[in-house]
Amino acid sequence: ESFEFNKLAISMFLESFDIKDSKDIWWKKICDIANKLSLKKGDVAMNLRVCICGRKNTPDLYSIIHVMGYERVVNRIKNIL
């Protein structure tokens, strides 16, 4: 099943991504991107989930990002872009 990425949303996330962010700050950045692009928050999060994990259903994305580490997350995002 193919997934159509919103590359602008993903690149905006990459620009603001800081692995040291608390979960609240991380989610606020996703909400800000959604608001700027007139998207649903869940759609932005789903783009990141598929981009980073390759799947639509995963455990908590914030936790996965921290398990994977900064470099792997950034590399997977850059691969999609």
Side-chain angles (χ1 to χ4, degrees):
E1 177 183 353
S2 72
F3 185 85
E4 193 64 43
F5 287 104
N6 184 319
K7 292 190 177 180
L8 182 55
I10 296 168
S11 81
M12 286 172 73
F13 176 80
L14 185 59
E15 287 170 20
S16 70
F17 178 54
D18 184 343
I19 200 147
K20 295 187 281 309
D21 285 343
S22 70
K23 191 169 189 174
D24 288 342
I25 291 171
W26 174 81
W27 182 248
K28 184 183 181 317
K29 287 180 178 181
I30 289 174
C31 294
D32 290 346
I33 292 166
N35 290 336
K36 282 181 187 148
L37 299 180
S38 300
L39 299 170
K40 294 177 182 166
K41 296 171 202 132
D43 289 347
V44 175
M46 183 61 71
N47 267 270
L48 293 170
R49 182 178 311 281
V50 176
C51 182
I52 294 165
C53 304
R55 300 169 54 181
K56 289 185 180 179
N57 293 321
T58 67
D60 177 63
L61 187 56
Y62 180 81
S63 301
I64 288 172
I65 285 170
H66 283 81
V67 169
M68 288 177 68
Y70 180 83
E71 277 187 36
R72 276 174 73 193
V73 170
V74 168
N75 287 338
R76 288 190 181 192
I77 292 171
K78 285 181 178 176
N79 283 342
I80 296 298
L81 295 175

